Amino acid sequence: MASVIEVTSRTPRDRCCRVAGLLALLLFSIVGARAEDVSPPGDQQPVATPSGQKSGAAGVRGNTASSPAAEQHRLPPDSTTKQTLALPGRTLAFTATAGSIRLFNDKGEPQADIAYTAYQLDDDAEARARPVTFLFNGGPGAASAYLQFGDAGPWRLAINGDAAISSASPDLQPNAETWLDFTDLVFIDPVGTGYSRFVATGDDVRKRFFSVDGDVNSIALTIRRWLEKSNRLLSPKYIVGESYGGIRGPKIVRNLQTEQGVGVRGLILVSPMLDFREFSGSSILQYVWSLPTMAAVARETKGSVTAADMADVERYARGDFLVDLVKGEADAEATARLADKVAALTGIDQAVSRRLAGRFDVTEFRREFDRKNGRVTGRYDASISGFDPYPDSSYFHFNDPSGEPLTAPLTSAAVDLTTRKLNWRPDGSYELLSGAVERAWDFGRGLNPAESISQLRQILALDPKLKVLVVHGLFDLATPYFGSKILLDQLPAYATRERVKLVVYPGGHMFYSRDASRQAFRAEAAALMK
């Protein structure tokens, strides 16, 4: 919904000042300034500073005029429209708002405009009692279109099978599995994604937003600001984050609990990355985490497979495989033993597995799995394959056949919905997945790479009623499900199975592209919120 102006006047010192103030106010009304050009008292909230520094006061009071340079980059006023969605067995009437929230630093200077798309069911009697869910993707550098148009939003774009190609029609259709039946939805695009943008210049501003803590603080503040201006502070609140959203999610809930004064009922993490420390570099756990997914891809070629079918591989990965890995390549017998077992589980040639000592990183597996046919598997969904553009090269020269084809249809669908159906027309380009943001990101250095398990422990300990749902795709090599399973198993006893639940669906990173997986995920989310 559009912001409502509050005009406050400072106490005049004499009658002349009163007259001057009234004349100025009259002139302002005649000119007809837009509501979004003046921020109401308390509307200017500081963006938190990098890790280790305090964010400043709770808010900046009074109006602060934006600079001319900032106004050149301002997003248009919020657009609110009434929508009706005809679905099997029901019709949903709802209000859609496409707009933005401006963030300020602790000096009251504008920093960034964060774009969002909100859908609220038209039921005034239940508005405050209805849950409201905030959703964002990851990257970093990804807009929320993946979750909005692939899974939970009112309209959906098919992103599987023949529809998952660049030239596919971007025509959105009513989404029978929308979550709008049981929760209002707010999709957030962090700065640098979607239409969200900086309004301040300078490297220091970008460094602050493009960091783990600065990003978390900006999204948490956006959530609080939306709740305030939409009169939804009393509603049950839920957070959904996908992929790098696994780093964001627990940290944002912690920030909301302790910095913003906003409680959260539940956290849903979709294909999350929870800890960069154990899935990169020299850590041998990266091979443990990914082995069940690689084996599942091999079994999928012979018939449908579920997470329950992978119990034997999980036992081997936790047990003998890990033991032989720890022995190292200096132990020739252990190395040959695990290499032969990995070859048997994945279907990769035994000679290749022995040459690599049974230690396949994701890129090597993706190429070797079907190299004889000149094909490579997807990273987001390894059950999808495409042609290797350089099959004879000794180096890897391929991208992701399960991810890149989605860029064109999702981008076109997002722009068409925003500008035509929602009647919000920002200038500039829509950024679905920004490589520039990812390249500029500060993930942490030295002994402190990005992880969110610490915050997950803290938020569960702080609020005994908070529930967490972690969902994965079985064939996802970007964030393998077994990594999350191992990490969640390390949580203290207070994180019971009733409070922290892991579910693995057939599919990849965007497992919700499969109809059955999307329907099952919707049922899990509804059960959590009810």
Side-chain angles (χ1 to χ4, degrees), residues 32-50:
R34 294 183 308 173
E36 287 74 11
D37 288 335
V38 178
S39 299
D43 199 38
Q44 301 171 10
Q45 302 293 344
V47 177
T49 53

Side-chain angles (χ1 to χ4, degrees), residues 331-351:
D331 189 325
E333 183 178 346
T335 299
R337 182 169 55 242
L338 75 87
D340 291 349
K341 181 67 172 181
V342 168
L345 289 173
T346 62
I348 290 177
D349 184 80
Q350 184 185 51

Side-chain angles (χ1 to χ4, degrees), residues 216-491:
V216 165
N217 291 334
S218 69
I219 297 174
L221 182 55
T222 298
I223 291 171
R224 190 190 105 191
R225 288 276 290 102
W226 187 91
L227 290 166
E228 289 171 345
K229 81 173 191 173
S230 303
N231 296 318
R232 297 297 299 273
L233 281 167
L234 299 184
S235 299
K237 292 162 280 289
Y238 294 84
I239 303 295
V240 178
E242 179 176 323
S243 195
Y244 181 77
I247 298 293
R248 283 173 168 152
K251 293 177 181 289
I252 287 172
V253 172
R254 176 70 173 165
N255 185 292
L256 288 168
Q257 288 176 333
T258 61
E259 298 293 330
Q260 307 300 333
V262 174
V264 175
R265 293 279 187 89
L267 171 64
I268 300 176
L269 299 176
V270 182
S271 306
M273 171 58 73
L274 297 170
D275 193 339
F276 279 100
R277 296 174 300 184
E278 305 297 349
F279 197 61
S280 60
S282 60
S283 173
I284 60 174
L285 283 179
Q286 62 181 302
Y287 307 116
V288 177
W289 287 18
S290 58
L291 182 60
T293 292
M294 294 176 180
V297 173
R299 293 181 180 183
E300 175 81 353
T301 63
K302 301 174 183 178
S304 61
V305 60
T306 67
D309 300 323
M310 305 310 299
D312 62 317
V313 183
E314 292 179 12
R315 284 193 298 270
Y316 170 66
R318 286 182 187 265
D320 292 343
F321 179 64
L322 179 57
V323 170
D324 284 343
L325 279 175
V326 170
K327 291 177 179 178
E329 293 186 51
D331 189 325
E333 183 178 346
T335 299
R337 182 169 55 242
L338 75 87
D340 291 349
K341 181 67 172 181
V342 168
L345 289 173
T346 62
I348 290 177
D349 184 80
Q350 184 185 51
V352 173
S353 185
R354 286 203 170 195
R355 174 168 57 84
L356 295 173
R359 293 158 168 84
F360 285 88
D361 71 21
V362 168
T363 304
E364 289 167 336
F365 172 83
R366 291 174 57 205
R367 192 179 206 199
E368 297 298 339
F369 182 70
D370 196 18
R371 189 168 188 173
K372 64 181 180 295
N373 293 315
R375 299 181 72 84
V376 295
T377 77
R379 176 171 172 263
Y380 286 132
D381 189 339
S383 68
I384 296 174
S385 68
F387 292 112
D388 186 342
Y390 296 94
D392 300 321
S393 173
S394 59
Y395 191 69
F396 309 119
H397 292 289
F398 56 84
N399 291 310
D400 191 347
S402 65
E404 283 195 318
L406 305 180
T407 300
L410 278 173
T411 299
S412 295
V415 173
D416 182 67
L417 175 76
T418 302
T419 58
R420 183 176 57 83
K421 189 180 289 288
L422 304 186
N423 197 32
W424 197 54
R425 296 181 173 82
D427 58 5
S429 298
Y430 178 90
E431 292 284 351
L432 177 72
L433 187 61
S434 173
V437 171
E438 185 173 14
R439 289 189 295 272
W441 205 262
D442 182 359
F443 286 93
R445 296 289 185 271
L447 297 177
N448 296 301
E451 60 88 15
S452 61
I453 289 295
S454 299
Q455 287 75 30
L456 187 60
R457 285 171 171 254
Q458 290 166 350
I459 63 176
L460 287 166
L462 181 65
D463 187 343
K465 292 190 176 181
L466 174 69
K467 292 190 176 182
V468 176
L469 172 64
V470 180
V471 289
H472 274 277
L474 186 58
F475 310 119
D476 179 8
L477 282 173
T479 55
Y481 81 91
F482 197 51
S484 289
K485 187 170 186 176
I486 291 173
L487 288 172
L488 295 177
D489 284 345
Q490 311 310 311
L491 294 176

Side-chain angles (χ1 to χ4, degrees), residues 81-87 92-98 117-120 144-159 170-180 185 187 410 413-414 416-418 420-423 518:
T81 57
K82 293 293 186 179
Q83 305 286 342
T84 302
L85 197 66
L87 299 171
L92 301 180
F94 61 97
T95 299
T97 301
T117 308
Y119 303 104
Q120 300 181 77
S144 60
Y146 296 91
L147 283 171
Q148 181 175 180
F149 304 128
D151 185 40
W155 298 279
R156 192 176 68 84
L157 185 68
I159 54 173
D171 187 26
L172 291 167
Q173 299 297 320
N175 181 15
E177 287 80 47
T178 181
W179 294 12
L180 193 54
L185 302 166
F187 296 91
L410 278 173
D416 182 67
L417 175 76
T418 302
R420 183 176 57 83
K421 189 180 289 288
L422 304 186
N423 197 32
R518 184 176 62 258

Side-chain angles (χ1 to χ4, degrees), residues 56-264:
V60 178
R61 297 293 170 181
N63 297 326
T64 301
S66 301
S67 67
E71 293 314 303
Q72 292 176 4
H73 298 282
R74 178 180 281 279
L75 289 171
D78 294 1
S79 174
T80 299
T81 57
K82 293 293 186 179
Q83 305 286 342
T84 302
L85 197 66
L87 299 171
R90 81 265 197 210
T91 297
L92 301 180
F94 61 97
T95 299
T97 301
S100 65
I101 289 174
R102 175 159 288 194
L103 301 183
F104 296 79
N105 63 13
D106 54 7
K107 297 179 181 178
E109 300 166 338
Q111 303 290 285
D113 285 342
I114 307 299
Y116 68 87
T117 308
Y119 303 104
Q120 300 181 77
L121 204 64
D122 290 343
D123 189 346
D124 292 337
E126 297 295 328
R128 292 191 177 185
R130 271 177 59 78
V132 56
T133 301
F134 297 89
L135 306 93
F136 43 82
N137 275 83
S144 60
Y146 296 91
L147 283 171
Q148 181 175 180
F149 304 128
D151 185 40
W155 298 279
R156 192 176 68 84
L157 185 68
I159 54 173
N160 64 325
D162 293 338
I165 58 175
S166 297
S167 59
S169 171
D171 187 26
L172 291 167
Q173 299 297 320
N175 181 15
E177 287 80 47
T178 181
W179 294 12
L180 193 54
D181 297 78
F182 54 87
T183 178
D184 292 336
L185 302 166
V186 184
F187 296 91
I188 297 174
D189 293 331
V191 67
T193 73
Y195 287 114
S196 298
R197 61 188 63 173
F198 290 105
V199 295
T201 58
D203 291 340
D204 60 328
V205 178
R206 291 180 176 271
K207 288 180 180 178
R208 184 163 63 250
F209 277 85
F210 292 164
S211 68
V212 174
D213 291 338
D215 167 71
V216 165
N217 291 334
S218 69
I219 297 174
L221 182 55
T222 298
I223 291 171
R224 190 190 105 191
R225 288 276 290 102
W226 187 91
L227 290 166
E228 289 171 345
K229 81 173 191 173
S230 303
N231 296 318
R232 297 297 299 273
L233 281 167
L234 299 184
S235 299
K237 292 162 280 289
Y238 294 84
I239 303 295
V240 178
E242 179 176 323
S243 195
Y244 181 77
I247 298 293
R248 283 173 168 152
K251 293 177 181 289
I252 287 172
V253 172
R254 176 70 173 165
N255 185 292
L256 288 168
Q257 288 176 333
T258 61
E259 298 293 330
Q260 307 300 333
V262 174
V264 175

